[in-house]
């Protein structure tokens, strides 16, 4: 089976500062991976490293078997690697419709398909990005990624700060994408139960290293690992 992503011994960070300290990771084509770990352990840095947005000191990144660690970010996106960043990058002064139009690429979802998938966005098509609720902005950020024909979708805490009813709606949307589209998805998520329900496989980072890897089912059953590395049932520090 081809791996969509294969990372070997990545040491990376910001300038001279090393955050990821020797990460190895394989994600099979059409796989789903929950990327877990407490605050500040390097989850965002790992996604940014896959996109080529950090300083790489050593190690390699393959995308469907081809080395991409020296490929510029915009070419990685054009080839089908898409990041929905933690801070939801949308164009605040453009309308929903315009935000989508500028993102559409050959082979990606059409604006019509997106409206069908996210009826909430269709209803807000003329509103500017900065007039949307947090949940609508997140849907728009995900929709923009889908319009760009991703083969691998990297979602960085997409439910963060959203009301429970919106979290449920987004979770349903992600599950539908997982089940109906041909796509590899990496989900960073603080809500461990949600992440494990969504993804087939899971890894946990701690201080820039992978400290756990297994299937989501295995991790669900492994309370020891959850307590050691995740903020599950732990006292608030
Ligand atoms: N632009 C940056 N320059 C320097 N250091 C950074 C930068 N961004 C993050 N860091 C540092 O890198 C480490 C990992 O941060 P990162 O954002 O990857 O963690 P995270 O696991 O995504 O955390 P969170 O769950 O809070 O989003 C932290 O120590 C952080 O302070
Ligand atoms: Mg983060």
């Amino acid at each position: 089976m081809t791996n969509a992503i294969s990372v070997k011994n990545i040491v990376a960070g910001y300038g001279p500062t090393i955050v990821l300290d020797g990460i190895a990771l394989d994600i099979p084509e059409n796989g789903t991976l929950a990327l877990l770990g407490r605050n500040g352990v390097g989850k965002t840095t790992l996604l940014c490293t896959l996109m080529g947005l950090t300083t790489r000191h050593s190690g390699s990144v393959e995308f469907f078997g081809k080395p991409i660690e020296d490929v510029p970010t915009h070419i990685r996106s054009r080839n089908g690697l898409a990041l929905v960043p933690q801070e939801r990058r949308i164009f605040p002064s453009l309308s929903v419709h315009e935000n989508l139009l500028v993102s559409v690429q050959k082979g990606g979802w059409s604006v019509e398909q997106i409206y069908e998938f996210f009826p909430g966005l269709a209803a807000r098509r003329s509103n500017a990005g900065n007039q949307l609720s947090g949940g609508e902005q997140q849907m728009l950020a995900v929709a923009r990624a889908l319009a760009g024909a991703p083969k691998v979708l990297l979602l960085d805490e997409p439910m963060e700060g959203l009301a429970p009813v919106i979290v449920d709606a987004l979770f349903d949307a992600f599950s539908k994408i997982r089940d109906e589209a041909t796509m590899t998805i990496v989900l960073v998520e603080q809500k461990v139960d949600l992440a494990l329900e969504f993804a087939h496989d899971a890894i946990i980072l701690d201080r820039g290293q992978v400290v756990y890897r297994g299937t989501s089912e295995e991790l669900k059953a492994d309370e020891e690992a959850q307590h050691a590395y995740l903020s599950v049932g732990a006292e608030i520090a």
Side-chain angles (χ1 to χ4, degrees):
M1 189 167 31
T2 321
N3 283 320
I5 297 278
S6 181
V7 168
K8 291 196 175 62
N9 195 30
I10 275 286
V11 177
Y14 304 93
T17 307
I18 287 173
V19 174
L20 304 179
D21 191 10
I23 299 251
L25 176 65
D26 288 322
I27 313 171
E29 187 172 3
N30 298 328
T32 43
L33 178 74
L35 175 53
L36 304 171
R38 296 197 171 103
N39 290 126
V41 296
K43 303 180 299 294
T44 296
T45 305
L46 178 53
L47 296 191
C48 288
T49 299
L50 296 180
M51 295 304 299
L53 294 165
T54 61
T55 312
R56 186 180 53 89
H57 294 266
S58 61
S60 64
V61 182
E62 285 183 3
F63 182 64
F64 292 95
K66 294 208 177 81
I68 57 160
E69 63 270 1
D70 294 323
V71 172
T73 301
H74 70 280
I75 307 282
R76 297 187 201 200
S77 335
R78 202 186 297 157
N79 290 338
L81 189 54
L83 170 66
V84 179
Q86 205 164 357
E87 65 276 13
R88 295 170 201 155
R89 227 165 292 143
I90 60 169
F91 296 108
S93 58
L94 296 187
S95 70
V96 166
H97 199 66
E98 290 163 338
N99 261 284
L100 293 174
L101 284 180
V102 297
S103 315
V104 170
Q105 282 182 31
K106 210 167 145 238
W109 292 26
S110 68
V111 175
E112 289 69 34
Q113 277 175 304
I114 286 169
Y115 285 153
E116 210 172 299
F117 198 79
F118 294 113
L121 285 182
R124 306 284 266 148
R125 55 185 289 152
S126 307
N127 288 91
N130 58 12
Q131 296 170 337
L132 302 179
S133 70
E136 289 166 342
Q137 285 185 29
Q138 191 57 265
M139 277 176 203
L140 182 55
V142 173
R144 289 192 56 218
L146 294 172
K151 295 191 179 86
V152 175
L153 184 61
L154 309 172
L155 299 168
D156 197 352
E157 300 202 33
M159 340 269 201
E160 193 185 13
L162 300 177
V165 51
I166 309 293
V167 169
D168 289 346
L170 269 174
F171 186 85
D172 290 346
F174 295 149
S175 304
K176 217 165 139 198
I177 295 168
R178 174 196 61 198
D179 297 338
E180 294 175 15
T182 310
M183 217 176 284
T184 305
I185 306 177
V186 180
L187 175 66
V188 175
E189 179 53 59
Q190 290 292 346
K191 295 185 189 69
V192 175
D193 47 344
L194 270 189
L196 296 182
E197 196 184 322
F198 174 80
H200 186 272
D201 295 306
I203 67 166
I204 304 179
L205 296 190
D206 192 29
R207 278 166 284 179
Q209 297 188 326
V210 177
V211 291
Y212 183 95
R213 65 179 89 229
T215 65
S216 294
E217 288 303 319
E218 285 162 353
L219 181 53
K220 265 187 216 170
D222 192 339
E223 284 184 22
E224 206 172 309
Q226 293 195 36
H227 281 281
Y229 303 121
L230 302 171
S231 309
V232 180
E235 71 283 10
I236 293 161

